[in-house]
Amino acid sequence: MEFYSARELRNNTKSIWKELSEDNDVVITNNGKPYALMVGIPEGRFDETIRAIRQAKAIAAMDRMRKKAEKNGFMSEKEIDDVISEARKA
């Protein structure tokens, strides 16, 4: 995975496309912080790639919600799993 600044993206677009064509991911930074992720898409795999990215984002969002709920005194992930396990037994 290579990191490029927004300025480098403007000035070195060709080298960044080369990185993507070699099945590498590229991180674009803004003021030194990760800002965007560029992912190469294999030919004929657009829908599959988008679906995988959306699924990963949904999983990350769910994880953040669980951590926030646990922090605020709601059930922990283990407690939720225990309740689900008990419900499946019944």
Side-chain angles (χ1 to χ4, degrees), residues 44-57:
R45 302 264 169 124
F46 176 76
D47 291 338
E48 178 183 331
T49 302
I50 292 297
R51 194 171 26 257
I53 290 169
R54 288 179 177 162
Q55 182 178 19
K57 288 174 73 173

Side-chain angles (χ1 to χ4, degrees), residues 6 11 16 19 21-22 26 37 39 42-43 45 49-50 64 66-67 78 81-82 85:
N11 297 333
I16 293 172
E19 286 288 331
S21 69
E22 294 173 356
V26 172
L37 175 65
V39 179
E43 190 170 332
R45 302 264 169 124
T49 302
I50 292 297
R64 286 190 305 273
R66 283 183 175 151
K67 287 178 181 176
K78 183 185 180 328
D81 289 340
D82 291 344
S85 294

Side-chain angles (χ1 to χ4, degrees), residues 6-7 17-18 27 40 58 60-61 66-68 72 82 88:
R7 177 175 286 154
W17 288 145
K18 186 174 185 249
V27 177
R66 283 183 175 151
K67 287 178 181 176
K68 183 178 178 181
N72 291 329
D82 291 344
R88 287 182 178 160

Side-chain angles (χ1 to χ4, degrees), residues 24-38:
N24 291 323
D25 300 327
V26 172
V27 177
I28 304 301
T29 62
N30 188 21
N31 294 322
K33 297 178 184 175
Y35 187 77
L37 175 65
M38 296 176 72

